[in-house]
Amino acid sequence: MHSNRQPVVILVRPQMGENIGAAARAMLNFGLTEMRLVDPRDGWPNPRAIAMASGAAGQVLDRARIYPTLAEAMEGIDFAFATTARGRELSKPVHTPATAMQMARDHDGRCAIIFGPERTGLENDDVARANAIVTVPVNPDFPSLNLAQAVLLMGYEYGRDLLPAEPSPHHARPEAIALADRLEIEKLGDHFEERLTEAGFFFPETKAASMRLNLRNMWSRLALTRGDVRILHGMLRQLTRR
C-alpha cells in the first residue's frame, strides 16, 4: 500500500476518548495510520483513547496531530470527503463509501476523510471545507452510525483492492493444515479398506465392489489436511488394536 498516498483521517471535535481509540483500531485494520484531531473535547493525550486503541496506539495515536480548527487540519490536503447524512443543502457531489474510496485510491495527491463529533456530526461550516460528501446507505429508520463504525466502513472500502484478498497473507501453510496430496488420501483409503475388510464390513459379497468404490470416492471428495489424515489413521489403529 502506498503509505504516502493513504487518506488522512480527520476527527472533528471528537468527544469520547474511547471512540478516538476505537477509530484508531479501525484505521489500522485497513492499513491507515495518519490521524488528525481537531479540538478534541477532553484534550490530548487521552488515556481512555490509548486503552481502547490497544495495538493501534503506537502506530496511530502516538503520531496523531492536533489542530485547533478544521481549516488548519487541512494542511497538505488536496481533496477532502466529508462523511455526513446532512449537508445536502450545500451544492457538492455526494458519493457512497465505495465510490469515494475508489476516487481516493486513484487520486495522486493527499485525500482526507472528515468525521464529525459523535452526537451531532459535522456542521455545515465543516462540510463547506470539503470537496465532496460521503453518505452511507443505511436504514432510514435508524441512520445513526458510531464514529468508529464509520471509520471502519471507510477504511474497508479504501483497503479492499489494496490489501490481500485472502483472510491471511500468502505464507506457506503449516504442515498440519496443508491439504493432503492424492497419494496420502490413497494410503488412507487403503488403510480403511484393509481394516473394514477384516471387520467384515463389505457384505454381502455381491455389493462389496460398489461399497469399496463409494468409500474410495468419499475420501477423494473430502478436503482433508495432512493433520486430518494422521488423526484418521490414528483413530483406525486405536479402534482395531488387538
Side-chain angles (χ1 to χ4, degrees):
M1 189 178 295
H2 304 291
S3 60
N4 62 319
R5 291 180 51 200
Q6 64 170 238
V8 175
V9 170
I10 302 177
L11 306 186
V12 177
R13 299 181 298 281
Q15 296 169 317
M16 295 177 63
E18 290 88 343
N19 287 336
I20 299 171
R25 287 179 72 160
M27 286 171 60
L28 195 55
N29 282 150
F30 300 102
L32 302 180
T33 56
E34 188 167 342
M35 175 186 276
R36 298 183 185 183
L37 300 172
V38 175
D39 189 24
R41 184 189 69 182
D42 297 337
W44 197 258
N46 185 314
R48 290 174 181 269
I50 293 163
M52 180 60 86
S54 186
Q59 294 188 64
V60 181
L61 292 188
D62 288 354
R63 303 175 186 175
R65 295 169 66 186
I66 316 301
Y67 297 84
T69 66
L70 175 58
E72 290 164 280
M74 299 284 261
E75 172 192 354
I77 300 300
D78 304 300
F79 196 98
F81 297 95
T83 58
T84 178
R86 298 160 49 194
R88 288 177 182 267
E89 60 270 29
L90 298 174
S91 182
K92 289 186 189 296
V94 179
H95 302 289
T96 64
T99 305
M101 293 302 94
Q102 178 65 58
M103 292 169 65
R105 286 194 298 270
D106 294 341
H107 190 72
D108 287 330
R110 297 304 308 277
C111 289
I113 316 165
I114 307 169
F115 299 87
E118 298 90 320
R119 209 161 44 81
T120 57
L122 291 169
E123 303 291 341
N124 279 346
D125 279 356
D126 304 316
V127 178
R129 289 185 161 80
N131 301 85
I133 289 170
V134 185
T135 298
V136 179
V138 289
N139 175 3
D141 295 330
F142 193 69
S144 169
L145 272 182
N146 171 276
L147 175 61
Q149 291 171 334
V151 173
L152 185 82
L153 188 63
M154 299 298 286
Y156 170 77
E157 290 294 354
Y158 180 74
R160 63 188 303 174
D161 290 339
L162 299 173
L163 295 169
E166 294 296 318
S168 59
H170 297 284
H171 297 310
R173 304 184 81 190
E175 181 70 14
I177 62 170
L179 288 176
D181 64 28
R182 301 324 303 167
L183 181 60
E184 289 165 321
I185 299 295
E186 192 71 20
K187 287 181 176 176
L188 179 68
D190 290 344
H191 191 183
F192 265 84
E193 199 165 303
E194 289 165 18
R195 296 294 175 262
L196 289 170
T197 299
E198 290 169 9
F201 176 77
F202 298 109
F203 180 85
E205 188 60 39
T206 52
K207 294 187 177 177
S210 72
M211 290 172 75
R212 285 188 170 88
L213 182 65
N214 288 338
L215 191 62
R216 190 68 64 168
N217 191 43
M218 182 190 80
W219 293 124
S220 67
R221 281 202 318 273
L222 298 176
L224 296 171
T225 66
R226 289 179 166 171
D228 295 334
V229 169
R230 281 202 295 273
I231 289 169
L232 287 165
H233 277 300
M235 289 163 61
L236 201 52
R237 281 192 290 271
Q238 191 64 28
L239 285 169
T240 56
R241 284 173 76 175
R242 293 287 180 261

